[in-house]
Amino acid sequence: RQTMSASFDVATGCCKGSYDAVLISTDLEPDDALALSVLAPRLRGVPTLVVVGEAPVDKRRMAAEILASYGIDSGVVVVQGKMSKVTFPNGVSEAYHNPEQPHSCTLREGGEAAVQQQVECFLQQHERPFALLLKPPHEFLSTPEPLLKKTKAALYGSFNLGELRSSIKAAAGG
């Protein structure tokens, strides 16, 4: 187990509690970047795994640069999740690039083939993880039930649920 350096605290609502780690699943669309900026003060010092995806490009560096711009990149691990054919506008991946402010994230290799193991390992290392799901959470489909049971999660958007249902249906041959 990792030693908790800070906690992610949710004061009210159905997710009320104190969490020792945060897993963020994001496509890095503008609404996700805004959510990260709002949550940045609460994420500082909290063990964090960021899973990026939903485009035909590797978004790890962009995620790291966004986190660095908000001052929350220290100790964060970023992994590439499920890619898709969804277009990602040219030049957007450079929007947060600042050569004078390099990121300190760990960019894990392995892509889609390794992300499931990265998610499971992260959840196993923490007693009270929180998952902020800002994109379809494909990477959770094979996560063992005991890990899911101990993870509190918030899912953003009906589009994300619709996409996840479509993926499940396609995987089942339907």
Side-chain angles (χ1 to χ4, degrees):
R1 288 201 199 283
Q2 291 183 353
T3 303
M4 183 174 65
S5 55
S7 62
F8 178 71
D9 298 318
V10 179
T12 61
C14 61
C15 293
K16 182 179 179 178
S18 184
Y19 304 96
D20 63 348
V22 176
L23 187 155
I24 300 170
S25 175
T26 176
D27 57 13
L28 298 178
E29 294 287 337
D31 56 332
D32 293 8
L34 179 61
L36 291 171
S37 73
V38 170
L39 291 172
R42 295 174 142 187
L43 291 169
R44 204 161 278 114
V46 177
T48 304
L49 173 67
V50 177
V51 177
V52 293
E54 300 306 317
V57 297
D58 184 337
K59 296 181 180 179
R60 292 175 302 151
R61 185 176 58 83
M62 181 182 175
E65 291 171 346
I66 287 174
L67 297 173
S69 76
Y70 300 144
I72 55 172
D73 55 318
S74 180
V76 174
V77 174
V78 182
V79 298
Q80 178 64 48
K82 185 176 185 276
M83 293 182 136
S84 71
K85 294 179 182 175
V86 176
T87 59
F88 200 66
N90 290 332
V92 171
S93 63
E94 299 298 318
Y96 289 86
H97 182 67
N98 180 352
E100 295 176 16
Q101 184 181 19
H103 70 80
S104 62
C105 293
T106 300
L107 306 183
R108 290 274 165 83
E109 297 294 328
E112 289 183 54
V115 70
Q116 179 64 41
Q117 182 181 3
Q118 296 287 331
V119 167
E120 287 181 25
C121 182
F122 182 80
L123 296 177
Q124 286 171 347
Q125 291 174 349
H126 302 284
E127 292 181 24
R128 294 175 325 283
F130 185 86
L132 181 59
L133 309 173
L134 303 173
K135 72 170 192 67
H138 304 287
E139 297 78 17
F140 279 84
L141 290 177
S142 299
T143 302
E145 189 175 336
L147 294 178
L148 292 175
K149 282 185 175 184
K150 76 174 191 174
T151 304
K152 188 72 99 169
L155 175 68
Y156 170 77
S158 60
F159 171 80
N160 293 332
L161 285 174
E163 286 296 306
L164 185 61
R165 271 196 299 269
S166 296
S167 293
I168 293 170
K169 186 176 180 181

